[in-house]
Amino acid sequence: MRQITVTEHLLVHQKASAMATGRFTRLLNELILAAKIISREVNKAGLVDVLGFTGEVNVQGEQVKKLDEYANRVIIHRMERAGVLCAMASEENADLIEIPAKFGQGDYILIFDPLDGSSNIDVNVSIGTIFSIYRRKDGTRPVVLSDVLQKGAEQVAAGYFIYGSSTMMVYTTGNGVHGFTLDPSVGEFLLSHPDIKIPEQGKIYSINESYWHYWDEPTKQVVSYFKSPENEIKRPYSLRYIGSLVADFHRNLLYGGIFMYPADSRDPKKPSGKLRLLCEANPMAFIAEQAGGMAIDGQRRILDIEPQELHQRVPLFVGSKKDVQKVADIYKCST
Ligand code: P6P
């Protein structure tokens, strides 16, 4: 296959209306550079002292690992200088990240999780950077939080970098889903998975079953369906769960299957589960739909949810269309 870089692919396949100015290409190229820098550190994490905790806690109340913090700093440093953003929001930062006036601004908004799945850093499990891009609706005034709280259906682009056996970038601009693999010898992401389509029905379900006693009855019915030999494929789905959203999602995107993180009653402060709407569920839902899959919170399409706050959490069922539709049917019957 002729080697096609991300930039070349974007210029050839982008929707003229959304990205004609080249500013979007600049945004993505800066993000790609940040990912290459993060990939370099992640791939040598075992060799230098970037493992372990910084001793700080992020807005999610999670221990921040050094690579989490490092990745967050790299992305903010690169992207604030790109001259194409009017605001950023990170899973690691409580509030909006302002773009200093000296760097010039644009109309794009970048929302990201700098290093998702970071609890797996020390044990060499694949982790990832997730990103979601919007345009602000009103460029006549300084950006405010409500400009950022747009529903997922308004995303201009979304994607992730996965730092695993190889470093890959998977993204969509609403024109299908495309995967690129980093060739370290030339430092370029080359097209390796053109026009990814998720199988209509999978054989894999991904969920942390240790929360069984904290789920409501409909959720238990959902999980029991996938474990039952009497389901539509007449055999139990295989349970594959590695606790790293990007890794679990990526496997199911390519092989087919469903990833589930339902609401549970473990933490009264997190009644809607652990995953964040803006920097995890929305980008993964956009990718899944563009690949022919589906994403719901149990009842509603993820991309239709109007966000109320920056770090809002949401239950997530995402993956093969038939599998996610089955979840919707079970919940509908039980409400
Ligand atoms: P649990 C990682 O911390 C993360 O946000 C996702 O990457 C992953 O899917 C989930 O949490 C794992 O959560 O509760 O199963 O450990």
Side-chain angles (χ1 to χ4, degrees):
M1 180 190 301
R2 188 173 68 81
Q3 293 185 340
I4 298 175
T5 66
V6 182
T7 306
E8 194 179 343
H9 187 268
L10 186 74
L11 293 174
V12 169
H13 294 268
Q14 71 188 9
K15 267 191 212 161
S17 56
M19 274 70 81
T21 64
R23 295 168 76 80
F24 179 80
T25 308
R26 172 154 170 70
L27 190 168
L28 213 60
N29 281 333
E30 288 297 331
L31 197 52
I32 286 166
L33 178 54
K36 289 176 188 174
I37 295 167
I38 295 166
S39 172
R40 182 188 60 194
E41 291 307 307
V42 167
N43 290 332
K44 65 183 182 187
L47 304 174
V48 296
D49 180 34
V50 291
L51 294 181
F53 291 87
T54 60
E56 286 151 41
V57 175
N58 65 8
V59 292
Q60 318 298 340
E62 293 160 350
Q63 283 286 343
V64 180
K65 286 184 175 287
K66 284 182 180 173
L67 269 178
D68 250 348
E69 202 178 276
Y70 174 80
N72 200 40
R73 280 202 315 273
V74 165
I75 294 172
I76 292 171
H77 178 83
R78 288 242 55 89
M79 297 316 294
E80 67 182 357
R81 286 161 172 72
V84 295
L85 296 177
C86 58
M88 279 188 271
S90 167
E91 187 254 352
E92 297 292 337
N93 295 57
D95 306 308
L96 277 189
I97 300 163
E98 305 279 323
I99 307 296
K102 64 183 176 185
F103 291 136
Q105 291 201 357
D107 290 329
Y108 289 109
I109 296 163
L110 173 67
I111 302 173
F112 62 95
D113 184 349
L115 207 54
D116 186 87
S118 55
S119 53
N120 294 292
I121 291 176
D122 301 16
V123 293
N124 210 15
V125 163
S126 298
I127 52 183
T129 297
I130 307 172
F131 63 90
S132 173
I133 300 167
Y134 294 83
R135 296 171 84 99
R136 67 172 160 186
K137 304 292 187 199
D138 178 355
T140 63
R141 51 166 173 72
V143 69
V144 293
L145 183 59
S146 59
D147 293 315
V148 177
L149 298 181
Q150 299 182 39
K151 62 183 181 182
E154 299 292 329
Q155 288 175 98
V156 167
Y160 56 82
F161 297 91
I162 178 167
Y163 312 109
S165 48
S166 64
T167 291
M168 270 195 73
M169 172 187 181
V170 173
Y171 89 108
T172 182
T173 58
N175 262 343
V177 177
H178 310 285
F180 300 78
T181 301
L182 180 64
D183 177 342
S185 66
V186 294
E188 279 288 356
F189 280 97
L190 303 177
L191 182 64
S192 54
H193 297 68
D195 202 20
I196 298 173
K197 290 296 176 200
I198 186 168
E200 196 181 18
Q201 182 151 42
K203 300 183 176 67
I204 293 171
Y205 77 108
S206 306
I207 192 167
N208 188 333
E209 289 229 21
S210 71
Y211 303 146
W212 177 269
H213 296 291
Y214 301 101
W215 292 330
D216 61 21
E217 279 314 308
T219 301
K220 289 179 180 177
Q221 286 172 35
V222 164
V223 179
S224 301
Y225 168 81
F226 289 105
K227 299 168 70 161
S228 164
E230 294 313 313
N231 59 33
E232 269 173 47
I233 63 170
K234 296 301 176 205
R235 46 154 282 195
Y237 282 53
S238 298
L239 173 56
R240 295 286 183 272
Y241 190 78
I242 199 161
S244 176
L245 172 61
V246 174
D248 280 318
F249 178 89
H250 186 68
R251 178 201 51 245
N252 293 3
L253 177 70
L254 299 183
Y255 286 171
I258 183 168
F259 174 93
M260 301 182 274
Y261 205 112
D264 63 60
S265 59
R266 280 178 300 143
D267 181 347
K269 291 196 298 295
K270 298 177 190 171
S272 300
K274 175 181 184 182
L275 299 185
R276 298 87 173 173
L277 174 60
L278 270 71
C279 67
E280 289 171 314
N282 270 338
M284 293 320 202
F286 189 19
I287 294 167
E289 288 197 2
Q290 282 290 312
M294 194 171 160
I296 60 173
D297 67 353
Q299 272 86 20
R300 299 170 296 176
R301 180 180 176 237
I302 290 288
L303 297 184
D304 288 340
I305 298 174
E306 293 284 355
Q308 303 306 312
E309 54 185 64
L310 205 50
H311 295 285
Q312 175 172 337
R313 295 172 192 273
V314 68
L316 178 62
F317 301 83
V318 59
S320 294
K321 179 172 277 189
K322 278 195 168 181
D323 297 329
V324 177
Q325 184 55 55
K326 188 66 188 175
V327 172
D329 296 345
I330 294 171
Y331 272 116
K332 202 178 299 167
C333 294
S334 55
T335 48

